[in-house]
Amino acid sequence: MIQKLNLLLDQLESHLEDFEETNPIVSTATIGWQIDHSFLVINEVVIHIKKSNPKEYKWKFNKNRFLVQTLLRKIPRGKVRAPKGVQSFEEITLEYLRRQLEITRNNIAELETLEAKNYFVHPFMGYLNLKTTVDFLELHTKHHLKIIEDILRIS
């Protein structure tokens, strides 16, 4: 279940050396910010899903979830700002990103220990069980990898 997420982390890791690169045509944020934000989202989601009670999981149709996870299979760019809880206010250095990568790898491994009905409540997509949470994390990470690739390609 977490194999794809680990491969995406490998891709993020391959861009660590580019952490200071930016291109205002693509994004005002640096590649380091894109990587750190991806780590922060994964880590925060894992914290929340681990705390969830599977007996309280409630599936309900959500058009945003259906659109993103079923029809588009990607997160549209520029539609939503990252909440403060998943924005870094740390100085982003290579050492900092390497520490965050290790924490993120450990958190992803913990997903394997959870029940199928552990859940995370996304502000726009509602209740996401374990499978749909992992899918969201993959889509979100791919979204930021695409931004990174665009920054490097257009620079």
Side-chain angles (χ1 to χ4, degrees), residues 44-54 56 114 118-119:
E44 285 297 311
V45 167
V46 171
I47 287 168
H48 287 282
I49 198 169
K50 280 173 37 181
K51 288 181 183 177
S52 71
N53 181 348
E56 295 174 355
L114 301 178
N118 274 89
Y119 65 91

Side-chain angles (χ1 to χ4, degrees), residues 46-146:
V46 171
I47 287 168
H48 287 282
I49 198 169
K50 280 173 37 181
K51 288 181 183 177
S52 71
N53 181 348
K55 293 175 183 167
E56 295 174 355
Y57 173 71
K58 314 173 214 176
W59 185 90
K60 181 180 176 186
F61 178 79
N62 181 293
K63 67 177 180 167
N64 292 326
R65 180 180 61 232
F66 181 75
L67 180 68
V68 169
Q69 291 190 298
T70 305
L71 297 179
L72 295 176
R73 294 298 304 150
K74 69 178 191 170
I75 296 172
R77 207 179 274 188
K79 299 294 182 196
V80 177
R81 292 275 174 229
K84 286 189 191 234
V86 288
Q87 289 186 36
S88 183
F89 297 101
E90 299 285 327
E91 178 186 354
I92 297 176
T93 64
L94 191 53
E95 182 180 307
Y96 168 78
L97 289 172
R98 286 190 173 130
R99 282 193 315 267
Q100 291 304 105
L101 173 63
E102 188 64 32
I103 291 166
T104 305
R105 285 196 189 280
N106 291 334
N107 280 331
I108 287 174
E110 289 191 52
L111 290 173
E112 295 275 52
T113 68
L114 301 178
E115 295 180 36
K117 288 192 175 183
N118 274 89
Y119 65 91
F120 164 69
V121 182
H122 187 277
F124 298 108
M125 296 195 285
Y127 281 75
L128 304 178
N129 65 16
L130 181 59
K131 183 179 175 184
T132 54
T133 295
V134 171
D135 185 61
F136 162 73
L137 292 174
E138 289 171 8
L139 290 173
H140 183 266
T141 305
K142 285 177 186 177
H143 171 76
H144 287 281
L145 277 165
K146 177 76 171 111

